[in-house]
Amino acid sequence: MKTIKSHKDLKVWQESMDFVVKIYALTEHFPSNEAFGLTAQLRRASISIPSNIAEGAGRKGAKELSRFLFIALGSLSEVETQLEISQRLGYVNDLDDINTTIYFIRNMISKLIKSINN
């Protein structure tokens, strides 16, 4: 694996930061009674993705990075579930673009984990 100078060098971190912005924009239109419910949960879980990538990259060793990447994958799955709930409640209609981004980020994290562990 190539040496990382900063977590900001990781394309997956950059993409997950953009994903957070998408989630914030999407939840901006959620009902006000969801401010402490789904809105907060989605935002918190989406923020957790690049945060864990950054924390793992800042730790010593590939094992630590891999562990935090798995946590980021868990947060990504959490966001995916919460978006499905949001859609079922009628807060969002079309999740195709977001689901494509989720797939892309999941794929990038999984490949990074695989490259670290090889």
Side-chain angles (χ1 to χ4, degrees), residues 10-115:
L10 294 170
K11 180 76 172 155
V12 68
W13 179 84
Q14 296 164 9
E15 291 292 331
S16 62
M17 289 292 288
D18 292 341
F19 183 66
V20 172
V21 173
K22 284 183 180 183
I23 293 298
Y24 265 73
L26 180 75
T27 56
E28 187 70 32
H29 305 290
F30 277 24
S32 58
N33 66 327
E34 284 294 349
F36 301 106
L38 275 172
T39 301
Q41 284 293 108
L42 272 162
R43 289 177 175 188
R44 196 173 302 112
S46 69
I47 289 168
S48 180
I49 300 163
S51 298
N52 277 294
I53 294 168
E55 186 167 357
R59 297 283 180 124
K60 190 172 184 176
K63 187 175 180 180
E64 284 287 298
L65 175 56
S66 182
R67 182 170 74 89
F68 280 93
L69 290 172
F70 276 113
I71 294 169
L73 275 177
S75 295
L76 188 62
S77 293
E78 188 178 344
V79 169
E80 187 175 32
T81 298
Q82 293 163 356
L83 287 170
E84 176 71 25
I85 292 167
S86 300
Q87 186 174 41
R88 289 179 183 209
L89 292 172
Y91 300 159
V92 292
N93 295 320
D94 183 19
L95 290 175
D96 289 346
D97 180 52
I98 292 253
N99 284 332
T100 299
T101 304
I102 288 170
Y103 175 80
F104 182 63
I105 293 171
R106 180 177 287 123
N107 198 28
M108 290 178 76
I109 294 173
S110 297
K111 285 182 178 180
L112 184 53
I113 291 169
K114 195 173 195 176
S115 75

